[in-house]
Amino acid sequence: MSEAVMADAMVSPAVGGPYVEKAGGPVVDFSYVGIDAILEQMRRKAMKQGFELNIMVVGQSGLGKSTLMNTLFKSKVSRKSVLATGQEKIPKTIEIKSISHDIEEKGVRMKLTVIDTPGFGDQINNENCWQPIMKFINDQYEAYLQEEININRKKRIPDSRVHCCIYFIPPTGHCLRPLDVEFMRRLSKVVNIVPVIAKADTLTLEERDFFKKKIREELRANGIDVYPQKEFDEDAEDRMINEKIREMIPFAVVGSDQEYQVNGRRLLGRKTKWGTIEVENIAHCEFAYLRDLLIRSHMQNIKDITSSIHYEMYRVRRLNENNTVVARANGIPEHHLAAHEM
Amino acid sequence: MAVQTQQKNLEGYVGFATLPNQVYRKSVKRGFEFTLMVVGESGLGKSTLINSLFLTDLYSAEYPGPSHRVKKTVQVEQSKVLIKEGGVQLLLTIVDTPGFGDAVDNSNCWQPIIDHIDSKFEDYLNSESRVNRRQMPDSRIHCCLYFIAPSGHGLKPLDIEFMKRLHEKVNVIPLIAKADTLTPEECQQFKKQIMREIQEHKIKIYEFPETDDEEENRVVKKIKDKLPLAVVGSNTIIEVNTKRVRGRQYPWGVAEVENSDHCDFTILRDMLIRTHMQDLKDMTNNVHYENYRSRKLAAVTYNGADNNRSKGSQSTKHDTVEGMSPLAQMEEERREHVTKMKKMEMEMEQVFEMKVKEKVQKLKDSEAELQRRHEQMKKNLEAQHRELEEKRRVFEEERANWEAHQRLEQQKLEASRTLEKNKKKGKIF
């Protein structure tokens, strides 16, 4: 059961239609049916149900993943804030740690799950370090599939599928590393990848533009399709908006969960001896764009693509696998099954 | 018998106080050499830092630095530049290691670097052991700057492995690269964490020597507190408050390279060039090179001992290195070499003889073969001869027969003719 599509603009529509005030009491407009009241109903339902969002952060240790998560959701949602470990030791193998939080804003509740992957890319030999991550993503799809296939289904299947994977690129300023290319190539097929340039306060503006251009070229050269994917643009309007976004990826972000006083206002930022970097200032870094993309404008779109495209692909593959196994056991040739499925 | 040195006071001015000046003048004439190695992942600002340190464009647009080229394996590249300042010449060699730590699998990426350092030591050892030692170019690596990525957490496994393997071969100076990423508090914490990990793994980074001078000691202590140095490199000049400085321009401010509040670049430069360059060279010469040398020569003698034992010769050689002087060692080696040569000679002679025998045998064989054929042909010839004789005899017989027959015929003819004649005659009668 797919989630209800919410309108981006949470404008409360006028309940009922335009009331024409005429002398002599309220007049009912006979041409108004009231279909648009459904928006209000959906809204109320969504508020009651709440939303779910699962974000995975992947990158080498020390790139500011936890800080960025805290900054995005303006609260201490990262693994480090929750599990207070004394010293940060790099784990010997990749672990997958997922922390869930229930946050609320203006009556809208959200269950946010941040999936962290400490140990990625930190070893000397990083061969196949993407495998645990792919396995995790496929396991989540599997769990959802199992729930779906059940005869007695739950009213609301808990959605633990990874909606979005933020990949942190270290700010070398030159080009993508082989590890980055390998990882993104494999994972862009199963999950929405949003690449970001971590710790972007290392790069001057010229370096940043050069680096972004290099990265976009390399992504194109390797056939890596990151979110927003070109092939899933539905209409011209979408394409226009997404083209603008595609010109800007990867976003150069800076994260911070400390506030400083700048020009009489309290802002999130980083204070150095030569200046203060404001996180939300688009002249300084592109954090605001990332936040708008992930939360304010494209959150529902991300979830839709995950459920209708990535998940469906997984489901088709899985069910075909199952069918071929069953068919071989029963002696039915495979092309018969395909015909049935059509 | 120990010689006692007594402190004597001079009664007048002798003049050997000018010795340092003489040394200085000689050194200036000779010029200096310094070899610096930079190691670190690509994109950490190594080339920029080198350019900033020596105020030259070692890597310029025409000769792009290693960072602009994609590497498949770790390479070791050298670039030399001769810089002059105040009449003093410095031949600076920068050894760069592009490709270090960039691949997906980085096991043993330090091996080419270790091999390079050892080969430089080997070259120096060979040129030191030569008979003619006029030119002894010193291309040994005097200092290795290791760049740590500014993660803010601690050392990576690759960093620890690399430093553990190289700290006994070369002076390792760890640096925090791109230090303008870190706020002052993060930087402090990061440095403490790194030093803790370095001590935990017993890595011996370059230690600044204690001097007798109080003033210098204080400076040294200040440097020690700031280890590892957090550096920022840049060669672009920017105007800040009507002052022209080298720095990096950001939308939120300018990070100045030479401002000691912003980063430790000036400390690094002073330490590396102005105060401790000679000490680095001395450390390399006295400690690292000697380590290499004793290890290498010990290995050689150990092998030598093995050889002698296997040959079973009676040598009264000490088995330990300390009991033997280098000269005796060389004598031993020479003797070994000579015996080896003799053995080889013998072997070669044997081989030679064998070959000769073979050849002789072959020749004999072919001779016999020829002989046989000769006989064969002779026999054939004789057989033919006999045949021919036979034929001739037969032919002669036939001829004789035929002649006899002919004579007979002739006679018969004669007879018949005379008979006819007679008849005719008779008839006429």
Side-chain angles (χ1 to χ4, degrees):
Chain A
M1 199 170 91
S2 56
E3 291 203 349
V5 175
M6 280 295 302
D8 277 356
M10 298 278 230
V11 172
S12 35
V15 178
Y19 274 108
V20 182
E21 277 291 330
K22 277 216 185 113
V27 182
V28 177
D29 192 351
F30 283 111
S31 58
Y32 174 66
V33 180
I35 298 177
D36 58 350
I38 194 163
L39 288 174
E40 177 63 23
Q41 297 171 30
M42 280 168 57
R43 189 166 164 272
R44 244 182 283 141
K45 183 152 195 221
M47 301 253 294
K48 243 195 289 180
Q49 267 181 359
F51 296 89
E52 279 177 328
L53 183 65
N54 305 323
I55 299 188
M56 175 185 261
V57 280
V58 184
Q60 276 186 330
S61 88
L63 285 181
K65 307 187 287 286
S66 311
T67 315
L68 189 72
M69 282 293 112
N70 288 351
T71 320
L72 262 179
F73 295 102
K74 292 224 170 63
S75 54
K76 306 242 181 262
V77 296
S78 75
R79 160 185 63 101
K80 293 205 187 130
S81 325
V82 171
L83 318 165
T85 48
Q87 270 189 19
E88 271 307 309
K89 283 273 171 185
I90 295 178
K92 288 287 158 143
T93 55
I94 303 172
E95 305 168 343
I96 311 240
K97 295 213 168 94
S98 110
I99 315 259
S100 292
H101 298 267
D102 280 316
I103 50 184
E104 181 176 326
E105 186 182 53
K106 291 213 180 99
V108 179
R109 277 179 302 121
M110 180 154 93
K111 179 164 182 283
L112 170 73
T113 308
V114 176
I115 303 157
D116 206 340
T117 53
F120 176 83
D122 285 329
Q123 313 306 323
I124 296 180
N125 183 355
N126 290 315
E127 209 63 60
N128 293 329
C129 60
W130 46 80
Q131 262 172 13
I133 298 175
M134 286 205 59
K135 184 167 176 310
F136 179 81
I137 295 176
N138 284 335
D139 283 347
Q140 305 310 309
Y141 285 152
E142 182 68 27
Y144 197 85
L145 183 65
Q146 292 300 331
E147 289 287 336
E148 241 190 10
I149 299 184
N150 252 343
I151 301 176
N152 293 329
R153 286 205 283 218
K154 291 202 195 121
K155 182 159 161 226
R156 256 197 95 210
I157 305 177
D159 188 4
S160 64
R161 300 171 292 192
V162 177
H163 296 127
C164 168
C165 172
I166 306 185
Y167 186 73
F168 286 71
I169 300 173
T172 58
H174 296 311
C175 56
L176 284 180
R177 296 170 306 154
L179 177 64
D180 302 334
V181 172
E182 275 304 312
F183 179 86
M184 285 203 270
R185 192 147 49 113
R186 283 155 205 272
L187 257 77
S188 58
K189 304 203 176 90
V190 292
V191 74
N192 299 320
I193 290 197
V194 178
V196 294
I197 301 177
K199 295 202 166 175
D201 52 348
T202 316
L203 304 167
T204 61
L205 292 179
E206 305 90 44
E207 290 169 356
R208 182 198 294 182
D209 288 333
F210 175 74
F211 191 33
K212 280 208 218 188
K213 216 160 41 124
K214 269 320 272 299
I215 293 183
R216 279 200 290 268
E217 268 171 30
E218 287 207 23
L219 289 180
R220 231 197 318 255
N222 282 296
I224 301 175
D225 223 356
V226 297
Y227 185 80
Q229 290 99 336
K230 255 204 177 111
E231 43 185 344
F232 304 145
D233 281 341
E234 283 173 21
D235 51 26
E237 191 190 319
D238 266 352
R239 211 168 306 140
M240 215 173 55
I241 301 177
N242 287 347
E243 272 305 317
K244 265 202 233 113
I245 296 175
R246 278 191 277 264
E247 308 248 309
M248 281 200 286
I249 49 169
F251 295 111
V253 295
V254 174
S256 165
D257 42 11
Q258 287 175 324
E259 287 188 342
Y260 291 100
Q261 193 91 343
V262 174
N263 292 342
R265 290 176 302 153
R266 287 198 68 80
L267 292 173
L268 284 178
R270 287 169 66 74
K271 191 163 181 162
T272 57
K273 288 265 162 70
W274 49 90
T276 307
I277 305 161
E278 297 165 36
V279 166
E280 307 227 4
N281 185 341
I282 48 177
H284 289 191
C285 76
E286 295 175 344
F287 169 79
Y289 293 129
L290 177 70
R291 183 202 44 209
D292 290 346
L293 178 80
L294 275 187
I295 302 179
R296 292 187 191 173
S297 52
H298 284 68
M299 187 196 276
Q300 193 54 42
N301 184 243
I302 288 178
K303 290 170 71 169
D304 280 345
I305 292 187
T306 310
S307 83
S308 58
I309 296 178
H310 293 296
Y311 171 68
E312 289 300 315
M313 257 186 4
Y314 176 82
R315 185 170 168 279
V316 162
R317 214 180 33 226
R318 261 314 247 119
L319 295 184
N320 269 343
E321 259 176 46
N322 269 349
N323 276 350
T324 53
V325 168
V326 168
R328 277 202 218 104
N330 292 349
I332 305 171
E334 286 159 34
H335 56 266
H336 276 212
L337 275 165
H340 276 283
E341 279 192 354
M342 290 309 154
Chain B
M1 191 175 90
V3 175
Q4 287 202 327
T5 50
Q6 293 172 322
Q7 190 93 356
K8 277 224 139 65
N9 284 330
L10 300 171
E11 283 147 31
Y13 176 67
V14 179
F16 60 77
T18 59
L19 269 172
N21 285 359
Q22 298 174 26
V23 171
Y24 169 81
R25 249 180 295 143
K26 207 155 205 172
S27 323
V28 167
K29 245 197 286 179
R30 220 178 331 152
F32 294 91
E33 286 177 315
F34 191 66
T35 310
L36 182 65
M37 175 185 260
V38 280
V39 185
E41 287 176 10
S42 81
L44 284 182
K46 306 187 289 285
S47 317
T48 317
L49 189 75
I50 298 293
N51 285 349
S52 321
L53 266 178
F54 295 101
L55 282 177
T56 62
D57 276 327
L58 208 61
Y59 299 119
S60 58
E62 307 97 58
Y63 176 52
S67 49
H68 294 279
R69 298 171 257 151
V70 180
K71 291 285 182 253
K72 287 278 155 127
T73 55
V74 181
Q75 320 263 329
V76 179
E77 294 182 352
Q78 268 192 191
S79 23
K80 285 197 201 284
V81 76
L82 182 65
I83 39 188
K84 288 198 196 166
E85 193 185 48
V88 179
Q89 283 197 115
L90 176 67
L91 177 62
L92 178 69
T93 312
I94 307 284
V95 179
D96 208 330
T97 55
F100 178 83
D102 283 338
V104 179
D105 182 359
N106 290 315
S107 326
N108 291 329
C109 63
W110 47 77
Q111 200 55 44
I113 300 173
I114 295 186
D115 291 340
H116 183 258
I117 297 179
D118 279 343
S119 82
K120 292 289 171 215
F121 278 154
E122 173 105 22
D123 288 343
Y124 194 76
L125 180 63
N126 286 342
S127 67
E128 209 185 34
S129 328
R130 269 209 304 243
V131 175
N132 182 1
R133 292 206 294 198
R134 217 84 219 284
Q135 300 272 30
M136 257 206 324
D138 184 8
S139 62
R140 298 171 292 186
I141 311 254
H142 298 121
C143 173
C144 173
L145 296 177
Y146 186 73
F147 285 72
I148 301 173
S151 63
H153 291 317
L155 288 176
K156 290 204 281 216
L158 179 63
D159 301 337
I160 298 175
E161 264 308 307
F162 178 86
M163 287 203 274
K164 270 208 322 218
R165 281 165 198 269
L166 256 79
H167 65 157
E168 309 249 276
K169 288 189 184 277
V170 73
N171 300 317
V172 174
I173 299 184
L175 300 173
I176 300 179
K178 294 203 168 176
D180 50 354
T181 314
L182 304 166
T183 64
E185 303 86 37
E186 289 170 355
C187 197
Q188 274 294 81
Q189 206 170 347
F190 191 36
K191 286 186 182 184
K192 272 208 217 73
Q193 175 70 17
I194 293 182
M195 288 315 279
R196 219 179 311 156
E197 290 197 18
I198 285 181
Q199 268 156 18
E200 193 184 302
H201 291 273
K202 300 211 189 15
I203 295 173
K204 292 198 270 245
I205 57 177
Y206 174 67
E207 293 259 330
F208 298 90
E210 300 278 331
T211 55
D212 298 325
D213 193 1
E214 257 308 312
E215 177 69 38
E216 271 193 46
N217 262 349
R218 242 179 297 146
V219 171
V220 167
K221 182 147 187 337
K222 256 206 301 187
I223 299 179
K224 280 204 183 157
D225 284 338
K226 291 204 178 188
L227 283 182
L229 301 170
V231 291
V232 174
S234 168
N235 251 350
T236 46
I237 301 187
I238 303 174
E239 283 245 1
V240 170
N241 299 338
T242 70
K243 228 181 0 148
R244 288 170 67 78
V245 287
R246 284 190 296 161
R248 288 171 64 75
Q249 171 92 40
Y250 292 112
W252 48 88
V254 174
E256 295 170 38
V257 164
E258 281 163 337
N259 186 335
S260 55
D261 268 342
H262 291 189
C263 72
D264 300 330
F265 174 80
T266 38
I267 302 182
L268 174 69
R269 184 193 52 199
D270 293 346
M271 185 272 290
L272 196 59
I273 302 177
R274 295 181 192 174
T275 49
H276 285 85
M277 191 186 262
Q278 190 54 42
D279 185 61
L280 282 166
K281 288 172 76 164
D282 288 340
M283 271 291 269
T284 313
N285 191 31
N286 300 343
V287 176
H288 298 294
Y289 173 66
E290 289 301 317
N291 278 345
Y292 172 83
R293 190 169 166 278
S294 56
R295 241 181 296 134
K296 187 93 196 309
L297 297 182
V300 168
T301 44
Y302 183 66
N303 282 342
D306 257 356
N307 265 352
N308 279 344
R309 253 178 267 139
S310 66
K311 276 195 280 187
S313 66
Q314 307 292 323
S315 82
T316 55
K317 196 162 62 108
H318 306 275
D319 272 307
T320 60
V321 184
E322 296 91 85
M324 208 170 350
S325 69
L327 239 85
Q329 213 172 309
M330 282 175 79
E331 264 305 304
E332 194 54 47
E333 274 182 33
R334 203 174 59 80
R335 251 179 283 146
E336 252 187 62
H337 192 76
V338 165
T339 42
K340 209 160 58 157
M341 294 305 286
K342 279 220 195 84
K343 195 167 84 146
M344 275 173 72
E345 234 183 277
M346 260 178 24
E347 274 180 21
M348 278 172 74
E349 271 191 39
Q350 274 180 6
V351 168
F352 182 69
E353 266 182 53
M354 207 171 64
K355 281 219 167 97
V356 165
K357 249 191 268 175
E358 266 179 40
K359 197 79 187 194
V360 165
Q361 188 70 19
K362 243 199 243 169
L363 281 169
K364 275 210 206 120
D365 279 343
S366 60
E367 221 187 288
E369 175 82 26
L370 271 169
Q371 193 77 3
R372 201 173 51 77
R373 259 201 246 144
H374 184 76
E375 297 281 323
Q376 183 105 1
M377 278 173 79
K378 230 165 77 173
K379 269 202 217 120
N380 276 356
L381 208 64
E382 277 193 21
Q384 272 187 18
H385 198 77
R386 258 180 275 134
E387 241 184 76
L388 272 172
E389 281 290 332
E390 185 72 38
K391 275 203 184 136
R392 181 200 271 209
R393 202 174 45 80
V394 164
F395 173 71
E396 291 284 337
E397 262 188 43
E398 262 196 58
R399 194 160 80 147
N401 276 355
W402 188 79
E403 276 194 8
H405 193 75
Q406 276 294 93
R407 249 179 283 140
L408 223 63
E409 290 287 318
Q410 192 78 4
Q411 272 181 4
K412 267 201 209 150
L413 203 66
E414 284 282 327
S416 73
R417 233 188 259 147
T418 39
L419 212 62
E420 268 203 38
K421 236 194 244 172
N422 284 349
K423 258 195 210 159
K424 264 189 200 156
K425 267 189 196 165
K427 281 211 177 131
I428 300 174
F429 292 111

